[in-house]
Amino acid sequence: MKLFLDTANIDDIKKYAAWGLVDGVTTNPSLIAKEGVSLEKRIKEIAAVISGPVSSEVTSETAKEMVAEGKEYAKWAKNIYVKCPMTPAGLEATRALTDEGIRVNVTLVFSAAQALLAAKAGAAFVSPFIGRVDDMGQSGMQLIEEIVQVYTNYMFETEVLVASVRSPRQVTDTALLEADICTMPAAIYDKLVKHPLTDAGLEQFKTDWQKMKNK
Ligand code: E4P
C-alpha cells in the first residue's frame, strides 16, 4: 500500500520525505489556503521534493474551465495529478483530461456508485473521504470495502486512495482491505511510529546498557 501525505505544508513534506515513507502528496483548496501561498508556487515546491503523485485540485465549476485549469497544472511538473470533484462537470473534465493523457484524482467521493462513475470516466485515483463518512454516523471502512469489491469485480485500473483519515487504526484497516493508497495528515505519520512498549523497551535497554558500562 502506498502512503501519501495529506498536507500543503512544505516543512512537513520535507520532514516525512526524509523518512523515505512519502509515496505522494494530496492537497486541497482548504490545505493550500491554510498555508497562505499561491497554489502554483506551493505545488511546484512539493513536486520538486516528492517524485510520486502530487494532487492539485481545480477550483472552477464548469467542465471547460476545469479542463483548462487541469491542463495548466499538468505543465507545472511531470508528477501532477489533477483533482476534479465528483460532479457531472468534474466527471466530464475527468474524461477530457484523461483522454489528453493527464491523470485525474476524482475527489469528494462518498458512495461506491460515485466511485464506479469515476472509474468509468477514466480516473487514475478515486478519493473516498472516510472520516467525513464516519462523522455522518456511517461506516467509512464499509465504503472502502465496497469500492475495492466493485473495482475488483470489473478489473478497473483506478486506484483507491483512502482520504480523510483521522486515526492510525484506519491506516491498518485500509491495508487489510487492500486499498491502493492511504493519504493522511502529518500527525498520523507520527502516531503510526509511536508505541508505548517501543518507548518502554528502549528505556530498559538504555538503563541495562548503562549499568553494564558502569561495572
Ligand atoms: C484528500 O485528498 C483530502 O485532502 C483530505 O483527506 C480531506 O480530509 P478532511 O476530511 O480531514 O478534511
Side-chain angles (χ1 to χ4, degrees), residues 6 26-28 31 83 107 127 129 132 163-166 183:
D6 191 30
T26 47
T27 65
N28 63 40
L31 293 172
K83 248 177 156 183
T107 191
S127 291
F129 279 32
R132 297 190 195 187
S164 185
V165 167
R166 311 245 164 97
T183 190

Side-chain angles (χ1 to χ4, degrees), residues 8 27-33 35-46 54-59 69 72-73 76 80:
T27 65
N28 63 40
S30 306
L31 293 172
I32 295 285
E35 297 301 314
V37 289
S38 83
L39 176 71
E40 180 173 351
K41 179 177 184 300
R42 183 45 50 92
I43 293 293
K44 283 180 174 170
E45 285 171 344
I46 298 171
V54 174
S55 289
S56 181
E57 189 159 340
V58 297
T59 51
E69 267 186 286
E72 179 60 26
Y73 295 175
W76 295 346
I80 301 299

